[in-house]
Amino acid sequence: MLDDNAPRKWGRMNASQMLKHCELVLKVALGKIELPEINILFRAVGAATKIEMQMFNNGIPRNMPTFQKLIVNFECDFDESKTNLLNSLKDFRKVSENKALPDHHRLFGTMTEKDWGFLEYKHLDHHLKQFNV
């Protein structure tokens, strides 16, 4: 069970910050947060990473760098963060069912509904495992 005082296995975020971070990542897929352009080298690495994760069903590496807009290094209310994440997950499901997710991601390149679902699942799973969930 995840609570505000759950110990983390790695990283700097506490449980409330992790929930907020996962909400922000979902908001990228929902078109509510736009990520900045990145150089061609990072785009190539991102596209290759997406393919490698899908081919080998790999998880996201620990302490992987992230976009500045998605970093949560401020205090968050646990219950509010949890509620907002659950609401964003519901929104993601609706948008996905309506086939209205973006066809592109700044890092991962061309995206299908299946790509979005897989990568969002892997991201959330990564952070839940961070807190033994």
Side-chain angles (χ1 to χ4, degrees):
M1 176 99 180
L2 184 66
D3 64 38
D4 197 20
N5 298 313
R8 63 182 175 255
K9 290 182 180 178
W10 70 84
R12 293 183 211 115
M13 292 185 289
N14 62 34
S16 301
Q17 291 168 325
M18 177 273 290
L19 293 171
K20 179 67 176 176
H21 167 72
C22 289
E23 175 204 353
L24 294 176
V25 169
L26 280 166
K27 285 186 172 187
V28 172
L30 296 170
K32 295 178 180 180
I33 292 179
E34 186 173 339
L35 297 174
E37 290 283 344
I38 58 174
N39 70 46
I40 193 164
L41 176 64
F42 286 120
R43 288 196 312 257
V45 169
T49 299
K50 177 182 83 170
I51 292 166
E52 183 259 338
M53 283 176 60
Q54 291 171 333
M55 284 181 64
F56 300 106
N57 198 26
N58 290 345
I60 296 172
R62 293 179 181 184
N63 299 310
M64 186 173 159
T66 192
F67 287 91
Q68 187 66 39
K69 282 185 170 186
L70 306 177
I71 293 173
V72 179
N73 55 8
F74 49 89
E75 287 305 310
C76 301
D77 178 83
F78 181 82
D79 291 324
E80 180 182 339
S81 296
K82 179 179 167 183
T83 298
N84 291 343
L85 174 58
L86 292 173
N87 288 335
S88 291
L89 281 166
K90 288 177 192 173
D91 292 345
F92 178 82
R93 181 178 177 195
K94 287 179 201 168
V95 172
S96 181
E97 287 173 349
N98 292 329
K99 309 242 182 275
L101 290 168
D103 62 2
H104 190 267
H105 185 280
R106 294 275 197 224
L107 178 63
F108 298 119
T110 303
M111 297 286 283
T112 65
E113 305 293 321
K114 186 177 177 181
D115 292 335
W116 280 110
F118 178 81
L119 292 171
E120 293 293 350
Y121 164 77
K122 285 294 189 179
H123 182 255
L124 190 55
D125 182 63
H126 166 78
H127 284 296
L128 290 174
K129 286 178 179 175
Q130 180 182 11
F131 289 89
N132 293 309
V133 177

